[in-house]
Amino acid sequence: MLPIYEIEPALVAAMRGKGRVIVQAPTGSGKSTQIPQMLLRHGLLGEKGEVVVLQPRRLAARLLAKRVAEEVGTPLGGVVGYQIRLESRTSAATRIRFVTEGILLRQMSFDPALRGVSAILFDEFHERHLYGDISLARARQIQETVRPDLKIAVMSATLDAGPLEAYLAPCETVSSQGRSFPVKIEYLQKPVDFEAEPVWDVAARECERAAAATGGDLLVFMPGSYEIGRTVQAIQGRPGLRGLVVLPLHGELSPEAQDRAVARYERRKVIVSTNVAETSLTIDGVTAIVDSGLARIARFDPHRGINTLLVERISAASADQRAGRAGRTAPGLCIRLWTEREHGRRPAQELPEVKRLDLAEVVLTLKAAGISDTFGFPWLEKPERRSLERAESLLADLGAIEPAGGITPVGRRMLQFPAHPRYARMFLAAEERGCVRAVALMSALTQGRGILLRGGGREVAQAREELFGEEHESDFFLLMRAWQYADKQGYSLDACRRLGIHAQSARQVGPLFEQFLEVARGAGLDTAERRVEGTDIRKCVLAGFPDQLARRLDAGTLRCELVHGRKGVLARESSIQRSPLFVAAEITEVGGRAGEVSVLLGLATAVEEAWLKELFPGDFRDAREVAYDGAAKRVVSRRERRFRDLVLEAKSSAEDVPLDRAAAILTAEVVAGRIKIETWDEAVEQWIVRVNRLAEWFPELEVNSLGEADRVTLIEQVCYGETSAKGVRDKPVMPVLRDWLTAEQLAVLDDYLPERLVMGNGRKSRLTYAKEGPPLLSARIQELYGVDGRLAIGHGRVPVRIEVLAPNQRPIQVTEDLGRFWREVYPKIKPELSRRYPRHEWR
Ligand code: ADP
Ligand code: MG
């Protein structure tokens, strides 16, 4: 009996009770195959209700459905069915439905009440796939609102239940210890470079050793179908492994081949599998594991602006799960194809997908469900705000969402394509233009590592030119031609090497191409072969990457400006060297020495402005702007044509500049200190002080003082009529100042606070006004002979302070009363001064 039955009563009670359950039981306990059947048997699905089991992997969904259908005793697609991205085996009778990826989430968007669904099981939840996280959040919302009767269970072999319990509270956790035997772990003694010695050869060698050391079946983990194929060949070539059945297991196999891998045999078997056998599927009888330590891991690639699946090293937690597969029925052995030392450097755990993937596709699905505030969405683990903003901005650029955040009709159509929104949008464009195959091939070419090697030297460059032509309107075209060539040559290493093509990467494009064609067919597109124009294909690229539109700044350099205010440099090896406008499908940030980042634009496609108008008619702005041109040092009128925020064309002219705008702009330059008005001298400042003192000392005259704001107005009046810095610099200020006051006020100013004072001896002397204190009269002793007592202005109301100077202009005394000076000070200093300046008059 499977261990899961030990917890059956607790599980059923919890489902009936709170309806939110966390199930923890080791792999092979019977979670995936038995719990859906328990719900059915115990009447938890009602009369006709369904249990939906969300699986991270398509292969697992199909195999589990098949197994459960056998156990229930009905044909697949009857009581038990499955629904994966491009394939569905369900019927009206289906009560247990295994699904993958966005299928459940899409169902929730189209029918938020989830009619007909009684329970949802989230399987393999520890893997923290994006769709698991988001579908769980939506299920919780639906259960809390319209469907309190919905049952939810989260299942996993290894789960840190703490945060999840809090997230699902109130919920119950049911766990089972299961049974397992010890597994001996062996590492390689020395590190192996898989570039020099292929991983499949190392694996085959270690398989031979494992087969000799144990008696059961073997399970080998490899990252993908290609490596699995090579491993199967290598194992078949080892003498020590003759007589064993060798079976591949991965998602690209036919259903029959997949079934063969999990079937039972008389002979010992070796299964070479992707990480689907890590926890999703249990293969009975395995006692030895050979683990490459590699897997294809989905990650957002900021260079390409898409999610990619590249081969990477798995985390320590994944490696432990893989090892555990050997200890299910007896003690086992696990051989790891890396060293113990290297093991210590592996990450303990993989990051949840929500933290490492581009969210554009799920955000679009959430929008379709009417959730416009994606940041407020109750995420199990909140993604970074930046990722959400990036997703929303991309969707807006693709025309999938409106500025207010709601989904558009184009966005809804895009959801029909289970692909990244960029490609969904490209397929939509391709449908109109009849070039679906080309878009499918381009999509496939951008998924893996590039197929063209860099730096092949002159010979490679020449060979490429001869075969593929010299100039292309898109770097994609070179890639497509290269791949078609490699495909025709059967990926021959020699032929590929001559043209600098990475044969292994090129080989992997074929199945991806087929997958994308299926995606297109699934959405009802015509994928027939036909003659297509390069222009149409290039328009499709533009439709998918409008946020990466670039304009060459000049013909001499490779410098460019991009939409969203970015700058970059076109890659030197790009075949688009002439087009002023292009779209870059790859953007790489290269850090420089001094911390500066240069942005390299690759995989370019030449586009034309007319196409922008055709595809995005609403995104053009004609702007007329009057601005200060710092280089020409003058105000110019600029006419700009923009696509979004990218200036496509700008013309500037010094003519027809409105004078009031010019005055305001020049004033700002003056106030900021970038233009100096040369005639704004001491006399101007004195005049302003005089006006202010007049206002202060004689308020009854009703002359307003001149504050900071008035100064700016003054400057503006000085600038009026000018358009250049030079004009402002040389413009006389005094006439403007005089205009500030009425003739009457001017007369009053000169009368009350004159610039010069006529003294008793008939001489005129200049007065200096300051912001504070009395006006000051400076005069040499000789000029003051005959003047006595106190001096005053302003009709006698403002006393004047006198600064008495020696013949050399040095101040001797400051006084307000000349009488006292003549009496008390003058007699004492006169002898000394008259000796020093004998030629002056001394009275
Ligand atoms: P869990 O989900 O807890 O890992 P499963 O429900 O997948 O466990 O599997 C329970 C048991 O059922 C396994 O130990 C295995 O023996 C058996 N089993 C599951 N799927 C298959 C299959 N396709 N063929 C043969 N046996 C299977
Ligand atoms: Mg399972």
Side-chain angles (χ1 to χ4, degrees), residues 628-691:
Y628 187 68
D629 179 339
K633 293 197 165 41
R634 62 186 318 129
V635 178
V636 292
S637 127
R638 217 177 264 155
R639 273 174 193 286
E640 284 182 346
R641 202 169 58 262
R642 288 171 188 246
F643 172 71
R644 295 176 183 166
D645 61 351
L646 179 69
V647 178
L648 295 177
E649 197 183 20
K651 276 198 197 116
S652 64
S653 102
E655 267 128 58
D656 88 77
V657 172
L659 289 182
D660 50 345
R661 288 284 301 127
I665 289 165
L666 289 170
T667 302
E669 294 298 307
V670 172
V671 169
R674 286 187 290 263
I675 301 177
K676 188 174 183 308
I677 306 174
E678 298 292 346
T679 56
W680 193 292
D681 54 11
E682 197 40 46
V684 170
E685 289 298 338
Q686 270 297 300
W687 195 89
I688 294 171
V689 174
R690 273 167 72 213
V691 172

Side-chain angles (χ1 to χ4, degrees), residues 150-165:
L150 184 70
K151 316 248 171 273
I152 298 174
V154 176
M155 321 199 289
S156 175
T158 58
L159 199 62
D160 175 14
L164 195 60
E165 264 170 354

